[in-house]
Amino acid sequence: MPIWNFAPGPAVLPAEVMRQAREEFLDWNQGGTSVMETSHRSKAFMRMAGDAEADLRALLAIPDAYAVLFMQGGASAQFALVPLNLTAPGERVDYVNTGHWSRKAIEEAGRYCHVHLAADAAPPGTSVPQQAELALSPDARYLHYTSNETIGGVQFDYVPDAHGTPLVADMSSDILSRPLPVEKFGLIYAGAQKNIGPAGLVIVIVHKELLGRARSETPSVFDYRKVAAEGSMLNTPPTFAWYMAGLVFKWLRRQGGLAAMGALNRAKAEALYAAIDGSDGFYRNAIVPTSRSWMNVTFTLEDPGLDGAFLDAAAAAGLLNLKGHRVAGGMRASLYNAMPLAGVLALGEFMRDFAERRR
Ligand SMILES: Cc1ncc(COP(=O)(O)O)c(C=O)c1O
């Protein structure tokens, strides 16, 4: 029986990549040691690291004017590092609140600067604000938004226009899921453990104009300019996660890049929302259709008393990790790049079958 892992992160990785990593586990690059046992300063590792960056640049068509950083501390560290690197104390920044993760980013930024809410979705947040609803401050140092709320299942279907202010995005749960106009952004950050690779790595794509503005108290390992100047090797990087990310980038290129992933991810999301919408109310997704996430599909059962039976039967059918986040309840199916269409179709069929049996 195939196993389909719908976990929100750490999440499923491409089977082909996992097999390659297994094959190379004890003897990487014919060096006789594992990549985990290899110096980050060795020629072989430096070459691999450079290839990973080049593949990411090719996938996202990242212009030369941007630095790509391989950092640690997860996306949560970036909640603090963005204001520390881009503002002086007391300066104003604009944030869009669309749910759990934007609230976390807002709370942390509030420790360092004056946060103005450009838009504020009251919980539970069933849509993203439209461009015309964004109240931008004339003196904001940047505009921050969360492109995909992993817990709520709400995703931006457009790139906000910040009217010349640097646009900053937390793309932890939808980076690399479809083509992206990087040139519209000042800075993009993303934790790796969804669409990139194992946890422990966070990617930062930052316009070089924004480097060199860090507050003096910013730790050196978290100062974007210093990290960029040292090729993300100011200290020992998370070598295994970087290696795995490199394999995933190569895999993505073999799949046809982000245009192909976008078409596949759209088809996966449409199939699952169709199963929910076509269930005569047995399942329900509360998100406004244009704000529905392609990556994290949330739904509730009409009778929450059936939640346990649903999860047990799903697990018995090989459909794993469908329980919604503890703050949201209900169900959530995460459909990252490495989840094949076949897994989503299997879930849709199981849901139809379960509804028929338990209605
Ligand atoms: C959108 C988003 N931002 C931030 C985070 C926090 O990431 P980390 O645990 O890597 O700090 C997550 C984690 O799931 C997330 O989904």
Side-chain angles (χ1 to χ4, degrees), residues 8-9 73-77 79 101 146 148-150 170 172-173 191 193-194:
S76 300
F79 294 165
W101 290 113
T146 309
N148 182 64
E149 286 284 357
T150 321
D170 174 2
S172 293
S173 50
Q193 63 270 25
K194 295 143 196 321

Side-chain angles (χ1 to χ4, degrees), residues 57 62-67 186 206-211:
R57 282 184 178 277
I62 300 174
D64 288 344
Y66 289 75
V206 54
H207 198 289
K208 290 176 184 166
E209 265 179 6
L210 298 177
L211 300 177

Side-chain angles (χ1 to χ4, degrees), residues 8-10 73-79 100-102 104-105 144 146-151 170-174 189-194 199-202 296 325 332 336:
S76 300
Q78 296 300 321
F79 294 165
H100 182 92
W101 290 113
S102 28
K104 291 271 185 203
H144 178 284
T146 309
S147 56
N148 182 64
E149 286 284 357
T150 321
I151 293 176
D170 174 2
M171 293 203 171
S172 293
S173 50
D174 67 351
Y189 62 92
Q193 63 270 25
K194 295 143 196 321
L201 175 71
V202 56
N296 310 97
H325 190 275
R332 168 175 53 172
Y336 301 121

